[in-house]
């Protein structure tokens, strides 16, 4: 009898153990809810995992910009969960009922009801498609390692970067990287030399930061590259950190800082309608919001706002019928009337009001209404007439101007991007400073990175095609320059390759500009492999002269890099831009091919050993190149590229949808039968059979612009035909990789891919 009881007890014990294990499985996972504190909802997420001793958990507090905070105690007994975080005096006790945790959140002697619901962390795209890390590492191992500079030398983030003065010049802020490759924000008191870390970078990247006033800083973050940017603020001593826009699924754009109102700034959010943005004045201390104007017509939304230095809304541009634009302006500050009816192709934008004038309606305008190239005009908005044509260039669009707030808004300089960036000084002050810079840094690009409000201290950023970048401080009183920081001292200028401007004629007679970066072997007369690198965009974007980490890495491995500013690129005037409309994947690709033929004709590169690589539209150009001219390229690397124009249009982010008609005028319109046929012709996914050269595909899973489905489609199609396609997907990235470890992994794998398919003498991996 005792043995039977023992057996029965054993069965009961076994059953209880199994039941306990089932309970354990029920409590693990992600639990999400919102804590209501004095009318404000604070999102919280707990991630619970099994451990050897029971359970562990972490907490995310998105409104505080904090993720992955490890909890001190996590227990689950008798259907009751208890979590403690001792440092913050936090405790959460809840009962599990099916997929909900109902309980109480305790902190600082206060109690708040908190219900958490179980959520599934699903990964975007077809998770069976990405190549394993092990196989990608094997591909990377094709790349030799006996080079002077490693991939990390070119793509590791600088130890420190992003320097800027506080408005009064008391402090210097900058980013500094720790041993875990996190880039925290530090502030140095220039009077005491004391340094304080004020913003800690955790799981999510700090996408940008700056000074709101002398004592408070702002910064922005998103989630894994999804581009839904949220705004945060923190005091200069690291206290009073606050998420100013804790709204899920809402994107924030910063419109204006307000020098004349140090406690506020102007932002735009798509809070009321995900498709359109409305302006708000936000208090950077409290987060209090005041909506400044309503943008309620989603079919004809306002797409840009014009505020003056005092934060007054002076005008806006409203879309009409999807393709036209009406420019509204107010004379009395209350009533807004149309003063310009424009095509979306027209350029008429206020760079700044002329605060040096007694006429409050006088403004500096960048316009191409009466010229092919954009020019800078002094304009009377009340009278709707040009006062004076201030600056233009025969070959390039003018890009900007500089004003001195300290010297009564004196006009200092104009700028444009030609073969190199050009600054044209106007005022006597700017001419004197420009001469000093030209003498000090001959042959380099220089730009004003920052200047204090009283113009006593400047930060200049110095760069060239061979210099990654250095910061120099300048004391306006002593007129002395001082090297503040060399971003990449390990990259010796004399070892870097020259980026050479080129100009050639397309097959139909257009003048096309671009750049060729040549390795030393080419300079010694050897025809070298070349990587053709079409830019993204494509409309209005262009490649420019300066340090290019990709081109320098390629050159160090013996590859030339060709960058063509094909028709539809920006900066070369309206006619050149519009000549590329409805030519994406057609004449725009012809220009790229003609550029390749040009550098072949110069004797620099081996036409039979050419790769094509690019990101975004450049990734599309890779796929289009491998299908349009299957024999031209030896291999290709597609980085977040479009494969199917039809599905690309269908997956637009909500805030792109009002501009779909414009995109159709740039690309193609499927509602027009002949253009629908062109879309099929130039969408690579429909021509997979033509791809006969090796292809590598790279994608950020959270990409809001080019959905992961674009890459999945091309990989699935090729795999179905038995083609081996290395496919790298990063599930914590968006439209391009922002995290250092991911960028390095990308380029290490890419260089292995090129070594395998471009350098013909290599027949096996360099290492196992």
């Amino acid at each position: 009898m005792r043995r039977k009881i023992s057996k029965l007890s054993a069965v009961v014990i076994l059953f209880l153990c199994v039941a306990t294990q089932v309970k354990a499985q029920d409590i693990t996972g992600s639990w999400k809810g919102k804590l209501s504190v004095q009318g404000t909802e604070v999102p919280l997420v707990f991630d619970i995992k099994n451990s050897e001793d029971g359970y562990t958990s972490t907490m995310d507090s998105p409104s505080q910009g904090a993720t992955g905070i490890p909890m001190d105690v996590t227990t689950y007994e008798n259907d009751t969960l208890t979590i403690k975080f001792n440092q913050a005096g936090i405790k959460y006790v809840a009962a599990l009922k099916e997929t909900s945790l109902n309980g109480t959140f305790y902190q600082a002697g206060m109690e708040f009801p908190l219900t958490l619901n179980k959520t599934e962390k699903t990964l975007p795209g077809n998770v069976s498609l990405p190549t394993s890390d092990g196989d990608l590492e094997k591909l990377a191992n094709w790349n030799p390692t006996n080079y002077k500079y490693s991939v990390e030398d070119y793509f590791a983030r600088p130890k420190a970067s992003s320097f800027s003065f506080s408005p009064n010049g008391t402090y210097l802020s900058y980013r500094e990287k720790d041993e875990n490759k996190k880039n925290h924000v530090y502030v140095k008191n220039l009077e005491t030399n004391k340094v304080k870390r004020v913003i800690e970078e955790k799981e999510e990247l700090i996408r940008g930061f700056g000074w709101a006033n002398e004592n408070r800083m702002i910064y922005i973050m998103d989630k894994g590259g999804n581009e839904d940017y949220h705004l945060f603020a923190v005091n200069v001593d690291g206290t009073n950190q606050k998420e100013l826009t804790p709204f899920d699924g809402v994107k924030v754009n910063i419109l204006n800082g307000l020098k004349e109102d140090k406690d506020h700034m102007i932002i735009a959010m798509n809070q009321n309608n995900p498709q359109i943005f409305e302006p708000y004045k936000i208090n950077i201390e409290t987060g209090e919001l005041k909506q400044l104007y309503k943008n309620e017509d989603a079919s004809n939304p306002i797409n840009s706002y014009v505020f003056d230095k005092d934060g007054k809304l002076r005008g806006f541009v409203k879309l009409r019928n999807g393709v036209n634009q009406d420019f509204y302006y107010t004379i009395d500050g209350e009533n807004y009337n149309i003063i310009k009816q424009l095509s979306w192709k027209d350029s008429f934008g206020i760079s700044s009001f002329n605060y040096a004038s007694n006429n409050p309606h006088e403004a500096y305008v960048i316009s191409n209404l009466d010229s092919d190239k954009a020019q800078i005009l002094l304009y009377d908005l009340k009278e709707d007439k040009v006062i004076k044509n201030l600056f233009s260039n025969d070959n390039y669009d003018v890009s900007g101007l500089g004003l001195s707030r300290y010297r009564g808004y004196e006009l200092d300089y104009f700028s444009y991007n030609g073969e190199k960036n050009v600054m044209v000084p106007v005022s006597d002050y700017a001419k004197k400073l420009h001469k000093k810079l030209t003498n000090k840094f001959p042959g380099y690009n220089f730009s004003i990175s920052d200047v204090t409000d009283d113009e006593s201290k400047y930060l200049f950023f110095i760069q060239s095609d061979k210099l990654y970048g250095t910061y120099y401080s300048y004391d306006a009183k002593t007129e002395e320059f001082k090297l503040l920081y060399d971003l990449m001292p390990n990259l010796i200028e004399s070892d870097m390759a020259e980026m050479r401007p080129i100009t050639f004629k397309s097959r139909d007679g257009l003048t096309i500009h671009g750049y060729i970066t040549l390795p030393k072997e080419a300079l010694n007369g050897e025809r070298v492999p070349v990587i053709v690198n079409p830019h993204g965009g494509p409309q209005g974007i262009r490649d420019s002269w300066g340090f290019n980490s990709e081109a320098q890495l390629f050159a160090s491995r013996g590859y030339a890099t060709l960058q063509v500013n094909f028709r539809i690129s920006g900066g070369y005037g309206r006619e050149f831009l519009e000549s590329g409309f409805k030519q994406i994947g057609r004449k725009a690709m012809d220009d790229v091919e003609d550029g390749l033929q040009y550098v072949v004709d110069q004797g620099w590169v081996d036409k039979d050993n050419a790769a094509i690589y690019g990101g975004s539209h450049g990734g599309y150009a890779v796929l289009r190149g491998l299908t349009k001219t299957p024999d031209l390229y030896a291999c290709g690397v597609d980085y977040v590229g479009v494969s199917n124009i039809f599905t690309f249009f269908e997956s637009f982010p909500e805030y792109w949808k009002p501009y779909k008609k414009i995109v159709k005028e740039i690309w193609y319109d499927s509602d027009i039968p002949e253009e629908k046929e062109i879309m099929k012709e130039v969408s690579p996914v429909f021509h997979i059979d033509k791809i006969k050269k090796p292809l590598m595909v790279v994608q950020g899973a959270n990409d809001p612009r080019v959905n992961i489905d674009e890459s999945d489609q091309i990989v699935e199609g090729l795999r179905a035909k038995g083609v081996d396609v290395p496919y790298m997907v990063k599930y914590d990235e968006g439209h391009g990789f922002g995290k250092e470890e991911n960028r390095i992994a990308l380029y290490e794998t890419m260089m292995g891919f090129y070594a395998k398919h471009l350098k013909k003498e290599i027949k096996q991996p360099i290492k196992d």
Side-chain angles (χ1 to χ4, degrees):
M1 186 70 178
R2 181 177 296 174
R3 181 174 297 176
K4 289 183 179 180
I5 292 173
S6 298
K7 286 184 177 180
L8 182 61
S9 298
V11 170
V12 172
I13 290 169
L14 177 62
F15 174 79
L16 290 174
C17 288
V18 171
T20 301
Q21 289 173 3
V22 170
K23 292 289 186 182
Q25 291 172 351
D26 285 343
I27 199 66
T28 59
S30 294
W31 301 84
K32 183 177 182 180
K34 292 184 178 180
L35 194 67
S36 182
V37 181
Q38 296 178 348
T40 300
E41 290 191 334
V42 181
L44 291 178
V45 180
F46 288 98
D47 286 306
I48 304 172
K49 296 180 181 179
N50 282 315
S51 71
E52 294 181 0
D53 300 325
Y55 302 95
T56 61
S57 66
T58 60
M59 182 178 73
D60 296 349
S61 179
S63 62
Q64 300 298 317
T67 59
I69 304 171
M71 299 292 99
D72 298 308
V73 175
T74 305
T75 62
Y76 179 58
E77 298 175 352
N78 301 321
D79 292 333
T80 299
L81 172 72
T82 302
I83 293 175
K84 295 181 181 179
F85 181 32
N86 296 330
Q87 182 180 349
I90 289 173
K91 182 173 73 169
Y92 177 56
V93 180
L96 174 64
K97 186 176 182 181
E98 297 180 351
T99 59
S100 294
L101 283 165
N102 301 302
T104 303
F105 186 91
Y106 302 88
Q107 185 174 23
M110 296 182 289
E111 301 179 12
F112 306 95
L114 176 61
T115 298
L116 302 176
N117 294 307
K118 197 162 190 178
T119 63
E120 292 293 331
K121 284 195 171 181
T122 57
L123 297 175
N126 184 341
V127 296
S128 68
L129 291 177
T131 303
S132 70
D133 290 343
D135 285 341
L136 290 173
E137 185 176 352
K138 289 179 182 178
L139 180 56
N141 287 343
W142 279 80
N143 186 41
T145 57
N146 58 338
Y147 293 108
K148 182 174 181 178
Y149 298 104
S150 68
V151 168
E152 190 169 355
D153 286 326
Y154 294 100
F155 288 98
R157 296 195 184 279
K159 176 64 177 173
S161 61
S162 305
F163 295 86
S164 64
F165 290 123
S166 61
N168 295 346
T170 304
Y171 304 102
L172 178 72
S173 64
Y174 57 93
R175 304 188 73 157
E176 186 171 303
K177 184 171 66 175
D178 67 13
E179 64 277 5
N180 297 316
K181 300 180 180 179
K182 297 298 183 182
N183 290 269
H184 311 297
V185 177
Y186 290 80
V187 168
K188 180 178 182 179
N189 187 314
L190 296 176
E191 296 174 354
T192 66
N193 287 326
K194 290 184 178 180
V195 175
K196 172 77 175 179
R197 187 172 77 181
V198 297
I199 308 172
E200 181 182 2
E201 184 173 83
K202 297 183 179 178
E203 185 62 27
E204 297 299 340
L205 298 179
I206 299 168
R207 299 288 179 173
F209 72 95
W211 291 93
N213 57 45
E214 187 67 16
N215 299 305
R216 196 148 171 83
M217 303 184 73
I218 56 167
Y219 60 103
I220 57 172
M221 295 193 301
D222 66 355
K223 288 288 184 182
N226 66 4
E227 299 186 15
D228 283 342
Y229 299 116
H230 287 205
L231 182 66
F232 301 78
V234 62
N235 287 347
V236 70
D237 61 359
T239 62
N240 193 21
Q241 181 172 283
K242 184 178 181 63
E243 180 175 8
L244 301 176
T245 58
F247 312 118
D248 289 341
V250 175
K251 180 184 176 78
V252 172
N253 296 322
I254 297 175
L255 297 184
N256 284 71
L258 296 175
K259 285 282 189 182
E260 316 305 325
D261 182 355
K262 300 183 185 302
D263 293 331
H264 294 87
M265 63 190 312
I266 297 174
I267 63 172
M269 292 191 296
N270 58 344
Q271 184 179 21
N272 296 322
N273 184 327
Q275 293 190 5
I276 56 180
F277 289 82
E278 296 175 299
Y280 296 81
K281 179 181 282 190
I282 187 167
N283 186 303
I284 59 170
E285 293 284 343
T286 66
E288 181 184 357
L289 289 164
K290 178 183 178 182
Q291 187 166 342
L292 300 177
Y293 202 79
K294 290 186 176 181
N295 188 6
E296 298 176 310
D297 186 356
S299 59
N300 297 289
I302 298 170
N303 57 27
S304 65
Y305 299 89
V306 179
F307 288 90
D308 63 18
K309 65 181 179 63
D310 298 312
K312 296 177 181 176
L313 180 62
R314 303 285 296 276
F316 52 82
V317 178
K318 187 173 184 180
L319 201 63
R320 175 168 42 85
N321 300 325
V323 291
N324 295 310
Q325 300 186 104
D326 293 330
F327 184 91
Y328 287 76
Y329 183 71
T330 179
I331 295 173
D332 59 11
E334 296 181 0
N335 301 294
Y336 296 86
N337 299 302
I338 298 173
I339 65 167
K340 291 285 184 189
Q341 290 190 311
L342 309 166
S343 160
W344 68 270
K345 301 174 186 178
D346 295 328
S347 175
F348 184 86
I350 297 175
S351 179
S352 172
F353 289 95
N354 182 12
Y355 300 114
S357 171
N358 292 324
N359 179 0
H361 306 290
E362 197 171 296
Y364 298 104
V365 169
I366 300 179
S367 171
N368 67 1
L369 296 186
D370 299 314
S371 59
D372 177 60
K373 308 296 188 294
Q375 53 190 337
I376 294 182
L377 310 172
L378 190 60
Y379 204 89
D380 188 316
L381 294 165
K382 180 180 179 181
E383 301 298 328
D384 189 19
K385 69 177 184 180
V386 176
I387 299 172
K388 186 179 181 181
N389 186 327
L390 295 176
F391 185 75
S392 60
N393 184 277
D394 291 338
N395 300 310
Y396 303 101
D397 292 324
V398 176
S399 56
L401 56 86
L403 301 172
S404 168
R405 175 175 175 266
Y406 179 67
R407 287 177 275 113
Y409 294 94
E410 182 177 20
L411 177 61
D412 271 344
Y413 63 85
F414 303 112
S415 60
Y416 67 91
N417 193 0
E419 288 187 345
K420 299 180 180 181
N421 286 320
V422 179
M423 181 184 293
V424 181
V426 177
S427 69
D428 290 340
Y429 183 93
K431 288 177 180 177
K432 180 180 177 181
L433 186 56
H434 186 269
K435 185 177 180 180
K436 287 181 179 293
L437 287 162
T438 303
N439 291 337
K440 177 73 174 177
F441 307 106
Y444 291 86
N445 274 341
F446 47 79
S447 58
I448 299 174
S449 179
D450 198 16
V451 59
T452 56
D453 284 353
D454 65 358
E455 296 185 0
S456 64
K457 300 175 184 176
Y458 284 81
L459 279 181
F460 290 105
F461 185 66
I462 313 299
Q463 192 191 58
S464 74
D465 54 344
K466 297 183 179 183
L467 177 66
Y468 189 97
T470 56
Y471 283 92
Y472 277 81
S473 62
Y474 175 72
D475 189 314
K477 295 179 181 178
T478 64
E479 299 186 352
E480 291 181 347
F481 291 94
K482 182 180 179 181
L483 176 63
L484 176 69
Y485 200 80
D486 185 343
L487 293 177
M488 283 292 181
N490 58 308
L491 298 177
I492 308 303
E493 278 189 74
S494 58
D495 291 337
M496 300 298 109
E498 174 193 1
M499 176 185 271
R500 185 178 299 178
I502 59 173
T503 303
F504 60 91
K505 289 288 186 180
S506 69
R507 65 190 68 178
D508 60 351
L510 276 185
T511 298
I512 308 291
H513 300 276
Y515 300 91
I516 184 77
T517 302
L518 296 171
K520 60 181 182 298
E521 295 90 341
L523 299 178
N524 293 332
E526 181 182 337
R527 286 185 179 268
V528 298
V530 60
I531 297 171
V532 180
N533 181 210
H535 63 68
Q539 68 278 2
I541 306 298
R542 59 159 288 179
D543 285 314
S544 300
W545 186 86
F547 193 93
N548 185 299
S549 294
E550 289 180 340
Q552 292 297 337
L553 171 64
F554 300 159
S556 73
R557 272 52 175 170
Y559 309 134
T561 301
L562 172 66
Q563 296 168 287
V564 176
N565 284 328
F566 44 85
R567 67 190 73 197
I568 210 174
S569 298
Y572 299 99
R574 179 172 179 165
E575 183 179 345
F576 184 82
L577 176 74
E578 294 182 17
S579 69
F581 294 170
K582 307 288 188 182
Q583 294 299 330
I584 296 171
R586 299 198 291 168
K587 288 186 179 181
M589 284 302 300
D590 291 348
D591 295 343
V592 174
E593 296 156 18
D594 294 345
L596 176 56
Q597 187 61 52
Y598 173 80
V599 296
V600 168
D601 292 343
Q602 305 308 303
W604 295 326
V605 306
D606 177 5
K607 185 175 183 179
D608 296 324
N609 218 4
I612 183 168
Y613 154 69
S616 194
H617 164 266
Y620 162 78
V622 170
L623 301 176
R624 177 60 179 147
L626 293 178
T627 54
K628 180 176 182 287
T629 50
D631 297 314
L632 185 60
Y633 301 106
C635 60
V637 178
D638 159 28
Y639 185 21
V640 296
V642 174
S643 67
N644 182 337
I645 299 176
F646 294 94
T647 55
F648 170 55
F649 282 6
E650 291 168 2
S651 64
F652 278 2
E654 287 296 317
Y655 45 84
W656 279 14
K657 290 181 178 178
Y659 311 103
K660 202 167 188 177
K661 285 185 179 180
I662 292 176
V663 178
K664 287 183 175 182
E665 289 207 4
I666 295 169
W667 288 65
Y668 304 99
D669 189 345
S670 60
D671 294 329
I672 301 173
E674 53 268 33
E675 290 193 18
K676 185 175 182 178
E677 290 304 310
I678 294 172
M679 289 173 70
K680 293 178 181 177
E681 173 195 337
V682 301
S683 290
V685 75
F686 300 116
H687 306 281
I688 287 176
D689 288 341
K690 296 177 183 177
I691 298 179
K692 54 186 182 180
K693 299 296 177 65
L695 171 67
M696 174 180 166
V697 179
V698 183
Q699 182 68 43
N702 303 315
D703 192 337
R705 307 187 200 185
V706 178
N707 189 278
I708 191 173
D709 182 55
E710 293 300 311
S711 291
D712 279 0
Q713 286 182 70
I714 206 74
V715 172
E716 281 183 304
L718 285 168
R719 295 256 180 93
K721 297 183 179 300
V723 179
D724 178 27
V725 184
Y727 185 25
M728 175 182 281
V729 176
K730 296 297 182 182
Y731 288 95
D732 53 354
E733 296 284 9
H735 195 62
F737 292 178
K739 295 186 176 179
E740 181 177 317
E741 59 271 26
N742 292 337
R743 286 161 56 87
I744 291 171
L746 163 62
Y747 289 104
E748 286 179 341
T749 308
M750 187 190 301
M751 298 317 297
F753 181 81
Y754 290 147
K756 182 176 181 179
H757 298 296
L758 276 183
K759 288 197 170 181
K760 297 178 181 178
E761 70 273 13
I762 297 175
K763 298 301 181 184
Q764 59 185 5
I766 300 302
K767 55 186 177 181
D768 294 330

